[in-house]
Structures are given as structure tokens and as C-alpha cells.
Amino acid sequence: LQKYVKHHFRTKRPMMVWGPPGIGKSETFQQITDSYIAEGKKAKLIDARLSLWDPTDLKGYPYYNKETNRMSFSSPDELPTEAEAAEYDIIVLFLDELNGAAPATQAAAYQLILNRAIGKYKLPDNVVIAAAGNRETDKGVTYRMPKPLANRFVHYEIRVDFEDWLTWATNNDISPDVVGYLTFAKSDLYNFDPSSNERSFATPRSWAFVSELLDDVEDFTDEEITDMVSGAIGEGTALKFKAHRAVASKLPNPTLILTGEVTTLKTKEISAMYSLSTSMAYELKAVYDQIGRDVTKEEFDGMLDNVLGFMMKNFDPEMIIMATRLVFVQYGVTANLRKMSNWPEFMKNYGHLIKEA
């Protein structure tokens, strides 16, 4: 989706992104804006929730202009002026919940979307337009989009994809317990059923809530933690996640694996092992970022060598591939592999699988 969106931004062609709730539609456009900033551009996201807007919020509020003896309109603050736009290389005008806006508001958006102007206001050249909304079948607050407005967009419908979520989750330090459990139980990443009366259900967004809930819970009992998790993802999934955490809590500290103090793993519960592999990858990345300050390159290479030896001794190939790809590809870790005692055996046994992955 990001590739398509950036192409349409270059050609100034508005697009409408459809999808169920909680899967990251709004987050995608924030990521795209952030990627422009990472490229060295000055970029800004204007997140306009059109479901909260009236038609006058788009066209501007009418007032009597005594100098011209005519009715004029004051442009809304959310829409940038030429002077404001000149401070940026690109401004993303994101019309979120577009089909949740009242029909009159959607009608007011016609001209802005197609002609990049509404009334006397004109969008500056470096402003690009995108929109998003839930589908009618998702049972949210939506209005059927008028055909003339729909025809002004290129339409995309997105779905949940575990591999994409895993990349996002590990880049954003989502709890290893959450990542480990969902790597084992991928179907629980998203279980939204629009026909269900359940108020809480699992989505990528609500799993991010769970990750936040697990921070600083030393004063909470397991039952209290499960109550909070149930409020985010539903009772059934929360009980399964509780069972996973009970096993994962008995795993060794990943730091002790890096230092070589722990070399064996007693439990063989798969979801817990996934949590440990994610924790080790997180820990390696944290140590890697400290090279030159609190740790030397040689010390880090030794820690990585210990991890490779531990994985070969205790993990199945699928977990080894996931953890290795996370460390070397996603986190961009480099090391002096030829000086590692475990590297020749590791490449002999898993090299072809790593290359394929």
C-alpha cells in the first residue's frame, strides 16, 4: 500500500483506502509521512476526521464582508495556506473516516478532492490528498459513498497480513509475549466479526494496547492483568494469552543467554520459545546500539555467537530463521562472523534456509 500511495502522491491522484477497523489504515499514512522525513524532506500530516466535520468546516464559515458588501467565507485552519505550505516539501492531507461523514459533508468534499479547490480556497501544489474509511459491512458509522465522489478516487482495500504486522511489531518494540504468542497463534491477530455483539476483539491495534498494558504491572495479580487484557481483545483470547504468559514467565533471562551463562532450555512450549527468540533479538539489537559506548565490537560478536549456539541446541529451524532474519535483515546487525566458533556449523545446517528466507 505504501508503494501505491507514494506513486499516487507523485501524480497527485487521490486514493481511498478501505478496510476493517483496527488494522492500521491511519498508521500507514503516518508511517509514509515519517518515511519522507527520514529521507530528509520536511513533511507534515494533516489528519482530518471528516466524520466530525460539517460542510462549513470545509468551505469555510460565511460572514458579511462590509468592504465588498458581499458574503465571504473564512477558510478552515486545518487547510494550509500558501505561506504555511511553503515551509514544507510535502503535506499529506488525510481525510480519515470520509464515508463516516454526513452526505452533505461528503458533497462539500467533491470539489476539494477533484479540483484541489473549494470556493475561493486552493490547495497549494505540495499538498497531496488521501482518504480512508471502514466498509459498510463492518457495522461502523458509515454512509454510502455517492457514486460521483467514489469516482474521484482510486480505491484500495487492505487486509491483515501477519508478516507485515511482525515487521511493524518488532520495529516498534511490541512486547515479546505478544509477538511470541501471535507467531504461534497467527489467527488470533485479527478475529473481528461484525455480526458479533462482543465489545472487545483482537486487532493489530488492540494487541498494541495489550503490549502497553503489560508495562509496569508488578503490582497487579495475574487475574487483574487478564481482566485488562480481556478488555482489549476479548475474554476467550485473553485466557489463551494468559496460559502462554504463564509458561513464558519461566523462560531464562535473554541477557544470560547472550553472556553464555544459560545454554539449555527446559520448556519446549512453542509459543513461549517464540517469545524467547523475539526477546533475544530485542536484546541483541539493544546491545548492538551500545557498541563503542558500553560494549566493544568483540564483546558483541561473542554474544551473538552465544545466541547462535543456544538456538542450534534448543530451537526448531522455523524459530531460528525468524530470529536470524530479524537480527540481520530487519535490524541490520553486522558482525565478524568468521571469528565465531558456532558460525561454520550454523551455516552448514541452516545457511540454505536463511538465504531462502
Side-chain angles (χ1 to χ4, degrees):
L1 177 63
Q2 292 189 24
K3 183 177 182 180
Y4 294 153
V5 168
K6 285 191 170 184
H7 174 70
H8 291 311
F9 282 174
R10 288 192 295 271
T11 60
K12 300 286 180 66
R13 174 55 54 201
M15 81 288 302
M16 174 79 185
V17 178
W18 301 84
I23 67 172
K25 298 186 295 295
S26 303
E27 178 73 17
T28 295
F29 287 94
Q30 182 61 62
Q31 290 176 10
I32 291 171
T33 305
D34 292 342
S35 73
Y36 284 129
I37 296 174
E39 294 169 3
K41 297 180 180 178
K42 295 189 67 176
K44 177 183 179 180
L45 175 71
I46 299 175
D47 191 342
R49 304 287 169 129
L50 283 198
S51 58
L52 305 177
W53 287 32
D54 291 323
T56 51
D57 293 331
L58 277 170
K59 187 174 182 180
Y61 200 78
Y63 66 94
Y64 172 67
N65 188 332
K66 64 180 181 180
E67 294 181 1
T68 63
N69 198 31
R70 302 181 69 179
M71 186 70 72
S72 298
F73 290 85
S74 56
S75 299
D77 283 343
E78 284 85 351
L79 299 181
T81 64
E82 288 286 353
E84 292 168 340
E87 299 177 8
Y88 296 91
D89 296 310
I90 184 170
I91 296 177
V92 179
L93 177 58
F94 179 47
L95 307 177
D96 204 1
E97 302 172 359
L98 173 60
N99 59 329
T105 304
Q106 292 189 40
Y110 283 13
Q111 187 181 9
L112 181 65
I113 293 167
L114 182 64
N115 298 328
R116 300 178 55 81
I118 183 168
K120 292 185 177 181
Y121 172 81
K122 292 185 178 181
L123 277 178
D125 288 340
N126 61 334
V127 177
V128 293
I129 300 176
N134 297 136
R135 306 162 303 183
E136 291 181 35
T137 54
D138 295 324
K139 305 298 183 182
V141 179
T142 61
Y143 297 89
R144 179 163 295 182
M145 181 178 287
K147 293 297 183 182
L149 177 58
N151 193 237
R152 282 158 168 74
F153 288 109
V154 178
H155 296 266
Y156 296 97
E157 184 168 339
I158 59 175
R159 58 175 173 78
V160 173
D161 180 84
F162 175 78
E163 294 299 330
D164 282 343
W165 175 84
L166 179 62
T167 299
W168 174 87
T170 50
N171 281 335
N172 287 273
D173 295 327
I174 295 298
S175 165
D177 279 346
V178 171
V179 175
Y181 173 75
L182 291 176
T183 304
F184 168 72
K186 295 180 177 65
S187 61
D188 283 343
L189 174 60
Y190 190 80
N191 64 8
F192 171 60
D193 180 3
S195 63
S196 172
N197 291 323
E198 292 289 334
R199 291 186 293 271
S200 303
F201 47 90
T203 67
R205 176 167 57 201
S206 58
W207 277 113
F209 296 165
V210 171
S211 180
E212 294 169 359
L213 292 172
L214 296 179
D215 285 338
D216 194 23
V217 290
E218 289 77 10
D219 295 334
F220 290 81
T221 66
D222 286 343
E223 293 302 322
E224 289 170 338
I225 294 173
T226 301
D227 284 343
M228 292 192 294
V229 173
S230 296
I233 59 176
E235 185 176 5
T237 307
L239 290 174
K240 291 190 288 182
F241 184 63
K242 176 186 177 182
H244 159 78
R245 289 188 70 242
V247 178
S249 65
K250 301 175 183 178
L251 295 172
N253 187 321
T255 301
L256 300 179
I257 298 173
L258 267 65
T259 58
E261 297 172 63
V262 172
T263 59
T264 58
L265 185 63
K266 295 180 180 180
T267 181
K268 294 297 180 183
E269 206 283 326
I270 296 178
S271 68
M273 294 167 71
Y274 274 121
S275 291
L276 182 58
S277 66
T278 303
S279 296
M280 288 193 302
Y282 283 2
E283 192 72 15
L284 279 171
K285 177 61 165 59
V287 175
Y288 184 75
D289 290 340
Q290 294 300 316
I291 291 177
R293 295 190 291 272
D294 298 332
V295 65
T296 65
K297 189 70 167 65
E298 291 73 20
E299 288 173 331
F300 172 78
D301 291 349
M303 293 179 184
L304 179 56
D305 198 20
N306 290 334
V307 169
L308 294 179
F310 180 88
M311 290 195 298
M312 286 192 292
K313 186 175 181 179
N314 299 284
F315 284 176
D316 292 332
E318 183 180 353
M319 268 173 276
I320 293 175
I321 292 170
M322 186 198 82
T324 306
R325 182 170 57 181
L326 181 57
V327 170
F328 287 114
V329 178
Q330 196 161 318
Y331 288 156
V333 167
T334 60
N336 191 346
L337 303 174
R338 297 184 184 279
K339 290 188 177 182
M340 294 184 185
S341 60
N342 289 308
W343 184 249
E345 182 183 356
F346 182 82
M347 284 302 294
K348 178 181 177 182
N349 294 335
Y350 305 104
H352 64 290
L353 297 175
I354 298 297
K355 290 176 181 177
E356 290 174 6

